[in-house]
Amino acid sequence: MLSKVLLKKDWKQVSLLWMLLVFLGVVAFTVPAWTQFEQFDEQIKDARANSVDYGIPFEERDRLTVESFFDHDSSLAFYLGDIGDVIPVGPVVFLFVVFSALIATSLIGAERNSQMSDFSMSLPFTRTQLYISKWVLGASGIIMSTLLGSIAMFALVATSRYSFLLEGTVFKSIVIVLYIALIGISLFSLALWMGSFGGESISQSVWSFVALIFPLGILALIQGSAYSLTGRGDALGWLIDSAYESVFIQAISPLGNLMNLSLYEYIRSDQYWQEFVTISIPSSIVFIALSFWLGAWMYNRAPQENNGRFFMFNNWLWLVHIIIVGCIAMFTGIVFTTFTYQANSMLYIVGFVIGAFLAHLLAKRLLYRFNLRLKS
């Protein structure tokens, strides 16, 4: 259950960030849309001036209306775009990445840095209630930012010379905006979950970044290693490509979900739209539920005496050590193969061994430096 006392306590920690997120959300939704209108103007001007390049008969170029340049039955729309180009997915998601990390770090990592977590744990609330309060506060900021920003964006489009872009696409546009909000909540849920790993703000930020790129990064390292060892671009290619597009990757990685996003196809094709509604959106919801549950579960079990350390769970340190060594070894092996024009398995193996050895020393030094004991 939520508590007003907990919400007020957490609000004092992130109120400025929360309000700044809402304000910048409006900016991130509207400014790129306004810029896109200007780009449309330039493209239409160029299409009229170079009509032959766009397949427009010379005698018809001056008779074309602005709406005709966006007609889905015409090839012109391929060059200019549609409402999907107006919805600023990239800038908004980038804003959510930054503020998800900042707010989540302020709610858990910074609280541990200042020893306020000891006070929080002494309150007559369970750790689950503490975690829920923090999650609700961060998620509400993303929802409010998306709500106000999207309303401002739709108002801007509706009152502009390109208001016709909303005809027949209002429902899809609203669903896409809701999807952006789900991605934002996914990113915040991930960053808050990583607060259960890190014992202070810096480590929480590091773990958040690692967790964000980890699934796709591992696939990229495996694919690069396969090519380096075999010299064949199709080595595991079909398997890796299938993995990138799989529902599993979309369900465990917000970044993987975004990589499969194609607004151009969703707006124009009912088949792709159906896949988006039945796969991408549910995958985001699954990730939010999974990361929230794991975050609350680990927050309950994180040893309070490890506050201020880089990693809260000493018993899992051996796994962290193995992952660090494996990833750096594969990366080093791939880098070594770039010394020649063709893939070279021997160079990869040499680089892998050197990278593994150096990564082992580095990981061991770092882990000891942060006062963590390797499992014997």
Side-chain angles (χ1 to χ4, degrees):
M1 296 179 59
L2 280 176
S3 168
K4 292 182 179 179
V5 174
L6 292 180
L7 288 174
K8 288 181 179 179
K9 178 185 75 68
D10 292 331
W11 172 254
K12 290 180 180 179
Q13 296 176 224
V14 297
S15 56
L16 291 178
L17 287 173
W18 197 95
M19 290 185 287
L20 185 60
L21 169 61
V22 173
F23 170 74
L24 292 180
V26 176
V27 174
F29 268 101
T30 54
V31 172
W34 181 270
T35 304
Q36 185 61 49
F37 294 156
E38 295 181 344
Q39 185 175 341
F40 283 158
D41 292 340
E42 293 296 326
Q43 289 175 309
I44 292 175
K45 182 179 178 181
D46 181 69
R48 293 186 188 278
N50 304 282
S51 56
V52 178
D53 296 337
Y54 289 84
I56 305 173
F58 180 81
E59 61 277 6
E60 295 183 9
R61 65 176 185 176
D62 293 328
R63 291 182 298 194
L64 289 174
T65 61
V66 174
E67 289 87 342
S68 61
F69 284 92
F70 297 87
D71 187 354
H72 290 178
D73 296 328
S74 170
S75 60
L76 293 174
F78 175 79
Y79 296 101
L80 273 77
D82 52 27
I83 189 63
D85 294 276
V86 177
I87 300 175
V89 177
V92 176
V93 169
F94 177 76
L95 176 71
F96 287 161
V97 168
V98 173
F99 274 84
S100 292
L102 290 175
I103 293 176
T105 301
S106 298
L107 288 171
I108 294 185
E111 188 177 70
R112 286 175 172 157
N113 283 2
S114 62
Q115 304 300 318
M116 279 294 295
S117 60
D118 294 332
F119 169 74
S120 298
M121 296 299 176
S122 67
L123 295 174
F125 302 102
T126 65
R127 289 194 181 190
T128 300
Q129 288 176 301
L130 294 174
Y131 191 86
I132 291 174
S133 175
K134 298 176 189 302
W135 185 87
V136 168
L137 198 59
S140 65
I142 292 170
I143 292 173
M144 186 60 67
S145 176
T146 304
L147 180 63
L148 296 182
S150 60
I151 290 175
M153 180 196 68
F154 284 129
L156 181 64
V157 176
T159 56
S160 71
R161 54 197 175 280
Y162 295 104
S163 58
F164 58 86
L165 292 176
L166 288 174
E167 296 177 4
T169 63
V170 173
F171 175 74
K172 288 186 175 181
S173 299
I174 292 175
V175 173
I176 290 171
V177 168
L178 293 176
Y179 170 77
I180 296 174
L182 287 176
I183 290 295
I185 297 174
S186 298
L187 294 168
F188 174 72
S189 299
L190 177 66
L192 198 67
W193 172 22
M194 291 302 104
S196 301
F197 280 87
E200 39 82 45
S201 55
I202 295 178
S203 59
Q204 182 179 355
S205 301
V206 172
W207 288 119
S208 298
F209 175 75
V210 171
L212 180 63
I213 67 172
F214 183 76
L216 300 183
I218 289 293
L219 289 177
L221 288 174
I222 294 174
Q223 188 176 33
S225 297
Y227 173 76
S228 299
L229 289 170
T230 63
R232 294 172 52 190
D234 60 345
L236 296 178
W238 64 272
L239 183 62
I240 298 297
D241 291 340
S242 299
Y244 277 125
E245 300 173 0
S246 66
V247 177
F248 176 73
I249 286 295
Q250 294 187 52
I252 66 170
S253 172
L255 201 59
N257 206 334
L258 279 172
M259 283 186 58
N260 291 279
L261 186 67
S262 177
L263 297 187
Y264 181 85
E265 294 176 336
Y266 296 157
I267 297 296
R268 286 170 168 74
S269 171
D270 291 335
Q271 177 185 352
Y272 285 108
W273 176 256
Q274 194 70 24
E275 293 178 1
F276 169 67
V277 173
T278 57
I279 295 177
S280 297
I281 293 180
S283 295
S284 293
I285 297 174
V286 168
F287 180 83
I288 292 172
L290 181 63
S291 58
F292 174 81
W293 177 78
L294 287 172
W297 181 76
M298 292 181 181
Y299 189 76
N300 269 286
R301 287 156 179 77
Q304 189 70 5
E305 62 272 16
N306 286 344
N307 282 354
R309 296 183 177 183
F310 192 74
F311 192 63
M312 293 289 289
F313 298 91
N314 288 353
N315 292 335
W316 296 355
L317 199 56
W318 62 273
L319 180 60
V320 177
H321 191 94
I322 291 174
I323 293 174
I324 291 175
V325 171
C327 290
I328 293 180
M330 284 191 289
F331 178 76
T332 308
I334 294 171
V335 170
F336 267 55
T337 59
T338 61
F339 295 158
T340 61
Y341 290 103
Q342 296 180 346
N344 189 310
S345 59
M346 286 303 300
L347 277 178
Y348 176 84
I349 294 173
V350 171
F352 184 93
V353 172
I354 293 175
F357 177 72
L358 295 177
H360 170 70
L361 296 178
L362 177 64
K364 193 173 182 180
R365 172 67 66 87
L366 288 175
L367 294 174
Y368 275 122
R369 180 180 177 183
F370 287 107
N371 197 29
L372 292 175
R373 179 173 53 85
L374 284 173
K375 185 178 180 180
S376 56

